[in-house]
Amino acid sequence: MQKIITKYGLAAHLAIVATAPLFLSETAILWVASLAMVAILLEPSRVGSEMVHDARKRVARCIFRDPLFWVGLVLIVVAAVRALNSGVTLTYDAEESKWALSSPRAPVLPGCVDGLGLWHFTLAYMALVVVMGCRHALGRSARAAFSLMASFGGGAAVLCWLFAVRNDIQFLVRAVSCLQTDPTYLGPTYGICWLLGMGALATVFERRWWRSLPLAVVGVCGSALGLFVFSPPRLIVLYAASGLLLLLYLFVYLRIKVSKTADFRCLVVWGMSMVFAVVLAMVVVPETVLQDKAEPFLTGGFLTNEFLAARQVLSRISFDVWRANPWLGTGLGSFNIDMNLLARPADWKVITALQSAPLNGYWLVLAERGVVGAFLLVVPLAMMLITYLRRLIGGLRALPHPLAWILPLLLAVVGVEMSLDGSPLQPQVLVPLLAAFAISANGFVKEKGRNV
């Protein structure tokens, strides 16, 4: 019983942390993540006949020797400084008789507008906990369980939220509308959960986890529905293409590794999940939303002229902001203020004063965080990519698990997505994304000397 708890209890706990931004506040997430960190150090997955105290020593040693752990601590400190260094707002300069953007309390340090600092501190902390847990504390079965539970958590949240949309809960109605003025969408979160759920299906059939099939169906069905409802059509196309590629590999993997019937049985389960998603969409989602989502698929207008014109204007404004503050940017959440100060009279023909972010995530990073902030984001991603490439080189001697291919698929999708919006920078998306990267890097055959 203890081994079952250590193998799957921690995986479920980490899955809750990874999807917590969908339904918990910042303070609650900090408590849940702290408990998860304790569980990582006290109840990690055990390898073979390994004793619990040996597993604890192994995981603690791996974490403290991991350079990514120390980089994560630096990011937490930077996030704490930014949270304390708020005060970026629109002010009126009476001497010069003009409006201006005020500096944070300490202009030489990263800053933010009031109210955003705690969210990004929480993001840095929970990302470190989830990534360290997925990299070092979960065994092979536990990683599949994490993927299954993360998909189930995302899918269950969607099913609850869609019934709330019918009751005109305003923030959900705005999330479903996927407004161009607020280009940070929830849909990518469910796209990531959808891919994780599909990858977990391989282990469900490989290890005959038949009792977990209802969880897998809810996860794949709900996540696909969430991707459709909470994403603009262009993102639906990107994630759907990556999902179909993963499904094709999943089919081949099960035929080779399990049996000649497992692939078709898995395809039936996946197909049933998608049919349920379509039926729920027709029943629960408002008809006007369905029409808006379906129209680009009929007309081919995924990137309209209005979108491209606004994107060009906002990118130019972002460049002007970054050029004036190249190192630290103007602070998190400050783009709307900068835009209203720097926009030209002709720009208002294609943009509105409500625009919260540019239609290009790369420019959003440079404008609000500067070169230093962009560097701090790139370093952990580059370290995780290096880990993946090293294990890829040594892991191709056997057929990799489908979860192993999630990282390159998501990297391609997110790379394109960041050129269109800033959704991957939001806590709801970034934490599941980093967790998927960590899970994917461990999806190859175990290397000699690597215990988990």
Side-chain angles (χ1 to χ4, degrees), residues 221 225 272-285 290:
C221 167
L225 185 59
M272 289 175 55
S273 303
M274 300 307 294
V275 169
F276 291 155
V278 172
V279 172
L280 283 172
M282 296 177 65
V283 172
V284 179
V285 180
L290 288 176

Side-chain angles (χ1 to χ4, degrees), residues 12-254:
H13 197 159
L14 289 174
I16 292 173
V17 177
T19 56
L22 294 173
F23 47 84
L24 290 180
S25 65
E26 301 96 318
T27 305
I29 292 172
L30 288 173
W31 280 107
V32 174
S34 298
L35 291 174
M37 193 68 217
V38 173
I40 289 171
L41 296 175
L42 295 183
E43 295 292 342
S45 293
R46 294 159 58 190
V47 178
S49 59
E50 186 180 39
M51 300 297 291
V52 176
H53 63 275
D54 292 326
R56 293 169 181 167
K57 291 179 181 178
R58 170 179 51 79
V59 170
R61 183 170 59 250
C62 290
I63 290 177
F64 290 122
R65 288 181 177 177
D66 189 349
L68 185 57
F69 171 73
W70 301 104
V71 171
L73 289 181
V74 172
L75 294 179
I76 290 175
V77 172
V78 172
V81 170
R82 181 182 281 120
L84 296 173
N85 194 32
S86 59
V88 176
T89 187
L90 183 66
T91 59
Y92 183 74
D93 190 336
E95 294 182 359
E96 298 187 10
S97 300
K98 68 176 184 179
W99 292 95
L101 182 71
S102 66
S103 299
R105 296 185 179 93
V108 296
L109 296 174
C112 67
V113 300
D114 292 334
L116 278 184
L118 182 57
W119 249 126
H120 287 269
F121 173 78
T122 304
L123 165 63
Y125 180 68
M126 66 187 294
L128 178 64
V129 172
V130 172
V131 169
M132 288 298 106
C134 292
R135 276 170 72 92
H136 301 298
L138 297 181
R140 184 178 180 185
S141 297
R143 289 191 291 269
F146 169 87
S147 303
L148 183 66
M149 293 304 299
S151 176
F152 172 76
V158 169
L159 298 179
C160 295
W161 280 16
L162 286 181
F163 285 101
V165 169
R166 304 290 294 188
N167 295 324
D168 292 330
I169 305 298
Q170 288 305 308
F171 83 95
L172 287 176
V173 172
R174 289 195 299 271
V176 167
S177 302
C178 298
L179 300 175
Q180 183 174 301
T181 55
D182 186 17
T184 51
Y185 311 115
L186 285 176
T189 303
Y190 302 111
I192 296 167
C193 291
W194 185 49
L195 295 178
L196 287 173
M198 291 171 60
L201 274 177
T203 302
V204 169
F205 282 88
E206 191 176 10
R207 303 202 171 210
R208 301 179 182 275
W209 291 352
W210 306 130
R211 294 182 180 179
S212 66
L213 274 177
L215 299 180
V217 171
V218 171
V220 174
C221 167
S223 298
L225 185 59
L227 172 64
F228 175 77
V229 173
F230 293 105
S231 298
R234 58 182 179 272
L235 294 188
I236 297 173
V237 171
L238 289 175
Y239 281 93
S242 64
L244 291 177
L245 289 175
L246 185 62
L247 179 65
L248 179 61
Y249 182 82
L250 175 62
F251 189 87
V252 174
Y253 177 86
L254 289 175

Side-chain angles (χ1 to χ4, degrees), residues 353-402:
L354 299 177
Q355 190 74 37
S356 63
L359 300 174
N360 188 313
Y362 300 111
W363 277 122
L364 177 61
V365 171
L366 288 174
E368 293 190 350
R369 303 170 187 253
V371 173
V372 173
F375 177 77
L376 292 175
L377 285 177
V378 168
V379 168
L381 294 175
M383 295 176 71
M384 298 183 75
L385 182 59
I386 291 172
T387 299
Y388 179 85
L389 293 175
R390 289 176 57 190
R391 294 178 180 175
L392 172 66
I393 294 171
L396 290 178
R397 62 181 181 273
L399 190 66
H401 193 279

